[in-house]
């Protein structure tokens, strides 16, 4: 967790300096991204909120993304990561939205992605999406790797 908080401290400094805010929608990281951002003292200046969107029911209830919007989009994909980042940003009226969706393991997901597959996106003044493949079945290691990659992606876009 120390490595995640170290990255989050850099993110916090940039967001505070710019008076900007962030919201997070994460899945297979289980809240690690939000936890890292909240571990930095003064987080209330930039962190508005977040949600672990782990199921379809959570997606519908917490993100207000109906099944119709998901036609042609599957979870754990770059289009879905972009949708999550954009939606959390809009719903919480923040400058930035950050999302992660994937398969932590030890097995793959029902969409055919292997364990260690994750997509993450940033929505805001700069937008981007990436896919990470760790080729590992280690659930906890993947969760850490996904959270680290998502935080680094955000930090890169804040530079």
């Amino acid at each position: 967790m120390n490595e995640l908080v170290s990255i989050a401290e850099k993110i916090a400094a940039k967001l505070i300096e710019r008076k900007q805010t962030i919201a997070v929608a994460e899945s297979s990281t289980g809240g690690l991204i939000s936890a890292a951002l909240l571990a930095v003292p003064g987080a209330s200046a930039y962190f508005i909120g977040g949600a672990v969107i782990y199921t379809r029911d959570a997606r519908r209830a917490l993100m207000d993304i109906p099944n119709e919007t998901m036609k042609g989009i599957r979870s754990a994909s770059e289009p879905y990561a972009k949708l999550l980042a954009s939606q959390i940003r809009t719903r919480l009226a923040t400058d930035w939205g950050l999302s992660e969706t994937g398969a932590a393991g030890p097995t793959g997901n029902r969409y055919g992605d292997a364990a260690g597959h994750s997509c993450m996106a940033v929505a805001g003044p700069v937008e981007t999406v990436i896919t990470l493949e760790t080729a590992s079945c280690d659930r906890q290691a993947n969760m850490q790797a996904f959270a680290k990659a998502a935080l680094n992606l955000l930090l890169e876009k804040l530079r």
Side-chain angles (χ1 to χ4, degrees), residues 122-144:
V122 171
V126 178
E127 299 191 357
T128 193
V129 63
I130 64 167
T131 298
L132 173 67
E133 302 285 351
T134 68
S136 170
C137 294
D138 184 327
R139 184 177 184 82
Q140 291 179 14
N142 282 334
M143 291 172 72
Q144 289 283 326

Side-chain angles (χ1 to χ4, degrees), residues 49-73:
V52 176
I53 310 301
Y54 204 68
T55 64
R56 288 182 203 166
D57 289 342
R59 183 195 75 227
R60 285 190 297 264
L62 300 174
M63 298 297 290
D64 194 30
I65 299 174
N67 290 336
E68 302 79 50
T69 301
M70 292 297 295
K71 288 205 188 315
I73 299 175

